[in-house]
Amino acid sequence: MRLEGRKAFITGGSRGIGRSLALEFAREGADVVVGFRRDEDAANQTVAELKALGRIAGAVQGDLMDANM
């Protein structure tokens, strides 16, 4: 799958399956924003890894279960 020029938002992207997906999307050429709920340090580490792959990356905190967040 080639994702060159695409953008992705991965919920739960700071760890586990979400982190793996974020890294794979980046390897395939996508710029990635990772969503995280609590662990900002883990999200920032994932973002650093994405940037090391030459991609534009960022992190956004949120909780999809909380409409006020």
Side-chain angles (χ1 to χ4, degrees), residues 5-19:
R6 304 278 184 155
K7 278 84 170 129
F9 181 84
I10 308 289
T11 58
S14 63
R15 45 186 206 173
I17 294 170
R19 179 180 173 280

Side-chain angles (χ1 to χ4, degrees), residues 3-51:
L3 300 174
E4 198 67 43
R6 304 278 184 155
K7 278 84 170 129
F9 181 84
I10 308 289
T11 58
S14 63
R15 45 186 206 173
I17 294 170
R19 179 180 173 280
S20 295
L21 286 171
L23 291 168
E24 188 59 28
F25 274 48
R27 286 185 196 103
E28 292 294 326
D31 296 323
V32 181
V33 173
V34 296
F36 69 99
R37 188 170 46 167
R38 286 184 237 146
D39 195 346
E40 186 173 5
D41 290 337
N44 289 334
Q45 181 177 347
T46 301
V47 167
E49 291 179 55
L50 296 167
K51 288 181 177 181

